[in-house]
């Protein structure tokens, strides 16, 4: 078990190293000066100057890479070329708004998916199962930005019930006001991730249902409800926990499109506008930290696997 | 348990054929020139003359959606071919030879996989100038790791079966065993992966277009039409509705086909993507 973990940890370290290298190389293969690329961009000239000077100071490419890496280790992600402020500070400012949107969306989508997925799997091939199956396939096929636009057209303009943009009406508005602003972006996020989790859960539950111990439990006359909670869900939890762990990075950046469409003042919208404006230090930091988060949550998923499933521990 | 064969496959394939005909024969189906502006008839609602209405420059949205199918399908299929080719080649090598080659290829796969596709695509296209070949390259270049993992797993399973050992014993070279004996047996899985890769590519291309970083106007694409439309959604519901519906229908068609194929290939896994194969 320790050996497997060390092996995974080693692989994660390699991946993290690769990610820094690739992110660095992508940025440095960018042609030209960020200001020359598009003069209309709202970049701060002094910030750009300082950024270029910093590169000059570091000298040749490998030296630049190493000094960038050492700055990263000290928690210095550079300064935004638009705001002329530290990238980390800008990200942390926006984090609460993003979490306020993504955490409820994640919990809602996963909760719905686990209940609907289990329900559908128990009625495999039935009408409800087929309907949910087709519906989730359709949900996966919906372009999220289009879904957002349609929701906005229906509920903000067609029937002006819900606000189309932002997080609050005034600076000092109530919690209720924020919750009302939350409905549309939340719906948009939940539709997509529910469809994805639903298919996953259903598949996981079906795999358990085909096992012999379920037949035996049924033969012993246990109620269906008992079987589901005592046998099916604990056994299906392994893949479900994996997919949940792998979605954790999405809590920070998953709302890219939703935040952009509904002008939600979180990290996602900032990432998009920084990318469009070619704010290189931000782009670099964001790509790097997202990729690193994914790599770490992969590792976390492996850890959870070992914790949940005793068989894996003994096999190792 | 009795299971009926789903209609997904037939529905999906019919839709794909239908859309392909539209894309290939766009000039026949479009009743207007997609670039023809009309200063008198901008933002007209759908009617007999303009089935889907007109856009802010008076261009016929229906005709633009029809021509947009060309770009979407072309990008989707080209990107799919790229990711399938690279993914199959690398996955087969890693699975067949194992050892150091496997380690090297799989770590590379891991590194690309941890980047969120949309973010990486946005970044690459923002840094370099957006162009059709770059969009294809970026989408294909981020799509291959999933294929590589799948093919690697299949090849690893197949190479331990008797027929592969028999072929080796009869004196077949590694290349022959891999190309003639193993890969054809993995073809089913590769085809399923291909039907998943096309809609993913179409979605990413549309997303890039929506953010203004995809294929640039005046070439009509569903993504850049949606981008133009978002400033008019208050007054012209048709402007954003139809291009988006086209994306949805196309992506849905490929998902249906993939699902139908999967049901037929592997009756046990009626649903769900391939399980994340993290056990190497």
């Amino acid at each position: 078990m320790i050996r497997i973990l060390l092996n995974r940890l080693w692989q994660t370290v390699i991946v993290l190293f690769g990610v820094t290298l690739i992110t660095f190389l992508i940025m440095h293969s960018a042609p030209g000066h960020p200001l020359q690329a598009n003069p209309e961009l709202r970049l701060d000239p002094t910030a750009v100057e300082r950024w270029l000077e910093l590169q000059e100071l570091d000298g040749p490419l490998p030296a630049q890479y190493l000094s960038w890496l050492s700055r990263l280790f000290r928690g210095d992600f550079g300064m935004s070329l638009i705001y002329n402020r530290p990238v980390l500070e800008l990200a942390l400012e926006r984090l609460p708004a993003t979490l306020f949107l993504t955490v409820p969306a994640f919990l809602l989508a996963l909760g719905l998916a686990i209940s609907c997925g289990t329900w559908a799997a128990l009625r495999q091939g039935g009408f409800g199962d087929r309907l949910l199956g087709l519906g989730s396939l359709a949900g996966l096929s919906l372009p999220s930005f289009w879904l957002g636009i349609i929701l906005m057209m229906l509920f903000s303009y067609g029937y002006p019930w819900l606000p189309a943009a932002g997080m609050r009406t005034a600076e000092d508005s109530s919690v209720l006001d924020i919750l009302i602003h939350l409905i549309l972006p939340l719906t948009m996020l939940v539709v997509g991730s529910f469809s994805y989790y639903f298919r996953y859960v259903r598949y996981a539950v079906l795999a358990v249902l085909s096992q012999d111990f379920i037949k035996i439990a049924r033969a012993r006359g246990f109620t269906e409800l008992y079987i589901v909670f005592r046998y099916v869900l604990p056994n299906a939890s392994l893949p479900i926990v994996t997919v949940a762990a792998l979605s954790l990075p999405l809590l920070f950046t998953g709302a890219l499109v939703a935040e952009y469409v509904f002008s939600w003042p979180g990290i996602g919208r900032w990432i998009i506008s920084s990318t469009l404006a070619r704010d290189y230090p931000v782009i670099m930091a964001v790509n790097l930290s997202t990729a690193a988060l994914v790599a770490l949550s992969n590792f976390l998923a492996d850890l959870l696997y070992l914790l949940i499933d005793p068989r894996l521990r003994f096999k190792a | 348990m009795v299971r009926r064969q789903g209609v997904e496959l037939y529905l999906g394939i019919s839709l794909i054929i239908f859309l392909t005909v539209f894309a290939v024969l766009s000039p026949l189906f479009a009743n207007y020139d997609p670039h023809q502006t009309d200063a008198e008839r901008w933002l007209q609602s759908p009617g007999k003359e303009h089935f889907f209405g007109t856009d802010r420059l008076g261009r016929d949205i229906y005709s633009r959606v029809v021509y947009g199918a060309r770009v979407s399908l072309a990008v989707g299929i080209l990107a799919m071919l790229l990711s399938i080719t690279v993914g199959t080649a690398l996955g087969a090598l890693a699975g067949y030879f194992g050892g150091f080659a496997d380690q090297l290829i799989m770590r590379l796969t891991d590194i690309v996989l941890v980047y969120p596709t949309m973010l990486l695509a946005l970044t690459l296209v923002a840094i370099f100038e957006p162009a059709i070949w770059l969009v294809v390259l970026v989408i294909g270049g981020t799509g291959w790791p999933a294929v590589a993992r799948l093919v690697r797993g299949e090849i690893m399973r197949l190479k331990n079966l008797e027929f592969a050992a028999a072929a080796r014993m009869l004196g077949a070279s590694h290349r022959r065993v891999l190309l003639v004996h193993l890969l054809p047996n993995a073809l089913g899985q590769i085809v399923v992966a291909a039907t998943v890769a096309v809609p993913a590519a179409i979605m990413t291309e549309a997303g890039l277009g929506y953010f203004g970083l995809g294929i640039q106007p005046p070439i009509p694409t569903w993504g850049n039409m949606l981008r133009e439309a978002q400033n008019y959604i208050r007054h012209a519901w048709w402007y954003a509705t139809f291009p988006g519906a086209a994306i949805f229908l196309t992506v849905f068609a490929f998902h249906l086909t993939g699902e139908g194929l999967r049901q037929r290939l592997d009756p046990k896994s009626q649903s769900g993507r391939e399980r994340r194969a993290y056990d190497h």
Side-chain angles (χ1 to χ4, degrees):
Chain A
M1 176 183 167
I2 300 288
R3 239 197 64 208
I4 292 192
L5 273 185
L6 282 179
N7 194 18
R8 289 279 193 271
L9 194 64
W10 171 232
Q11 290 180 359
T12 310
V13 170
I14 294 180
V15 168
L16 285 175
F17 174 74
V19 163
T20 60
L21 194 62
I22 288 188
T23 309
F24 179 81
L25 288 177
I26 289 176
M27 279 305 140
H28 282 265
S29 50
H33 190 286
L35 280 179
Q36 282 164 357
N38 190 346
E40 298 153 37
L41 300 175
R42 305 154 290 135
L43 298 182
D44 185 330
T46 49
V48 175
E49 266 329 299
R50 205 197 26 245
W51 186 64
L52 290 172
E53 255 169 48
L54 202 61
Q55 286 183 343
E56 292 278 315
L57 277 179
D58 290 340
L61 215 55
Q64 281 185 32
Y65 173 67
L66 287 179
S67 82
W68 175 65
L69 211 57
S70 78
R71 266 177 276 141
L72 279 183
F73 272 113
R74 276 177 275 134
D76 175 7
F77 287 83
M79 305 274 269
S80 157
L81 299 184
I82 298 179
Y83 296 91
N84 198 7
R85 285 176 52 205
V87 174
L88 193 62
E89 207 178 289
L90 292 167
L92 289 177
E93 266 170 25
R94 289 162 175 76
L95 188 61
T98 293
L99 291 180
F100 194 71
L101 173 62
T102 52
V103 172
F106 171 72
L107 294 178
L108 203 62
L110 194 63
L112 275 174
I114 291 177
S115 26
C116 293
T118 312
W119 185 86
L122 288 170
R123 285 157 189 74
Q124 187 189 14
F127 179 72
D129 177 38
R130 295 180 74 84
L131 198 69
L132 272 170
L134 216 58
S136 64
L137 213 54
L140 282 183
S141 313
L142 276 173
S144 53
F145 36 94
W146 184 62
L147 176 64
I149 290 175
I150 295 287
L151 286 173
M152 202 188 279
M153 284 203 292
L154 283 175
F155 300 111
S156 302
Y157 301 131
Y159 302 91
W161 293 331
L162 297 167
M167 187 173 168
R168 39 169 74 90
T169 316
E171 205 48 56
D172 56 343
S173 47
S174 63
V175 177
L176 183 72
D177 184 55
I178 297 180
L179 285 178
I180 288 175
H181 280 82
L182 187 68
I183 296 176
L184 288 184
L186 187 77
T187 312
M188 172 181 159
L189 277 178
V190 168
V191 168
S193 37
F194 167 77
S195 307
Y196 176 71
Y197 296 144
F198 166 79
R199 304 182 71 74
Y200 214 92
V201 170
R202 179 180 172 278
Y203 181 52
V205 171
L206 277 181
V208 177
L209 283 176
S210 66
Q211 303 273 328
D212 286 337
F213 61 80
I214 298 294
K215 281 188 202 112
I216 292 172
R218 287 207 169 111
R220 288 172 72 184
F222 292 147
T223 60
E224 200 68 356
L225 212 61
Y226 183 80
I227 294 176
V228 166
F229 283 100
R230 184 73 180 75
Y231 294 97
V232 177
L233 283 180
N235 281 290
S237 64
L238 206 65
I240 298 174
V241 165
T242 312
V243 75
L246 293 178
S247 325
L248 287 181
L250 298 180
L251 294 182
F252 299 94
T253 60
L256 276 185
V257 182
E259 286 184 7
Y260 183 78
V261 173
F262 290 101
S263 313
W264 189 264
I267 290 189
R269 194 174 63 131
W270 170 65
I271 292 178
I272 300 273
S273 57
S274 304
T275 309
L276 296 180
R278 290 155 184 80
D279 189 341
Y280 288 153
V282 176
I283 301 178
M284 229 161 149
V286 160
N287 271 289
L288 181 72
S289 37
T290 321
L293 275 174
V294 178
L296 289 175
S297 55
N298 276 338
F299 182 64
L300 181 71
D302 287 333
L303 270 182
L304 287 173
Y305 246 94
L306 288 173
L307 282 178
I308 294 176
D309 194 340
R311 283 170 305 185
L312 292 175
R313 259 174 275 162
F314 288 121
K315 211 167 78 184
Chain B
M1 231 177 288
V2 185
R3 270 191 46 246
R4 281 164 294 172
Q5 284 286 5
V7 292
E8 284 92 346
L9 188 62
Y10 300 111
L11 193 62
I13 288 184
S14 329
L15 267 173
I16 291 176
I17 293 173
F18 174 77
L19 290 161
T20 312
V21 168
F22 262 82
V24 173
L25 303 176
S26 309
L28 283 183
F29 288 99
N31 50 353
Y32 286 87
D33 175 353
H35 302 293
Q36 181 64 50
T37 58
D38 186 341
E40 316 235 303
R41 297 164 179 233
W42 48 276
L43 291 186
Q44 283 202 335
S45 53
K48 271 197 196 114
E49 264 180 69
H50 298 285
F51 305 139
F52 293 173
T54 61
D55 71 1
R56 69 198 161 102
L57 300 174
R59 294 173 296 192
D60 181 55
I61 293 180
Y62 166 73
S63 303
R64 290 175 68 73
V65 168
V66 169
Y67 272 91
R70 291 188 156 184
V71 180
S72 279
L73 287 177
V75 169
I77 289 167
L78 287 175
M80 177 271 283
L81 287 176
L82 184 63
S83 59
I84 291 286
T85 314
V86 176
T88 305
L90 289 180
L93 287 177
Y96 187 73
F97 291 108
F100 182 69
D102 185 32
Q103 281 293 322
L104 196 71
I105 293 174
M106 280 303 110
R107 288 301 79 74
L108 190 64
T109 312
D110 286 344
I111 293 171
V112 181
L113 263 183
V114 293
Y115 281 98
T117 317
M118 193 65 205
L119 191 59
L120 187 60
L122 268 176
T123 304
L124 288 170
V125 183
I127 290 178
F128 306 100
E129 290 307 300
I132 197 160
W133 63 267
L134 181 65
V135 172
V136 169
L137 211 63
V138 164
I139 299 175
T142 49
W144 64 265
V147 184
R149 279 213 168 151
L150 189 81
V151 173
R152 172 180 175 273
E154 273 296 287
I155 296 293
M156 277 172 67
R157 187 178 65 83
L158 291 167
K159 79 170 179 189
N160 289 324
L161 299 181
E162 279 89 354
F163 78 94
R168 276 298 288 162
M169 254 177 276
L170 287 171
S173 64
H174 285 304
R175 205 178 72 166
R176 189 176 161 80
V177 172
L178 197 53
L179 292 181
V180 179
H181 297 283
L182 298 184
L183 272 179
N185 280 295
L187 201 61
Q189 293 291 333
I190 297 174
V191 170
V192 171
T195 56
V196 180
V198 176
I202 290 178
M203 204 75 117
T204 311
E205 188 272 324
L208 288 176
Y210 172 71
F211 289 123
L213 290 174
I215 291 145
Q216 298 296 305
I219 300 172
T221 73
W222 297 335
N224 69 32
M225 290 170 77
L226 269 179
R227 175 176 186 73
E228 288 172 16
Q230 63 173 345
N231 295 325
Y232 300 90
I233 58 177
R234 196 187 282 262
H235 310 290
W237 61 267
W238 56 91
Y239 202 162
T241 303
F242 292 110
I247 303 172
F248 168 69
L249 201 66
T250 313
V251 172
F252 193 43
F254 280 97
H255 275 323
L256 280 173
T257 310
E259 177 70 12
L261 283 176
R262 208 174 293 127
Q263 281 174 11
R264 255 144 252 239
L265 277 174
D266 177 11
K268 266 191 307 211
S269 77
Q270 232 209 78
S271 146
R273 292 150 42 95
E274 72 278 13
R275 261 187 53 195
R276 197 184 159 82
Y278 213 77
D279 32 32
H280 47 266

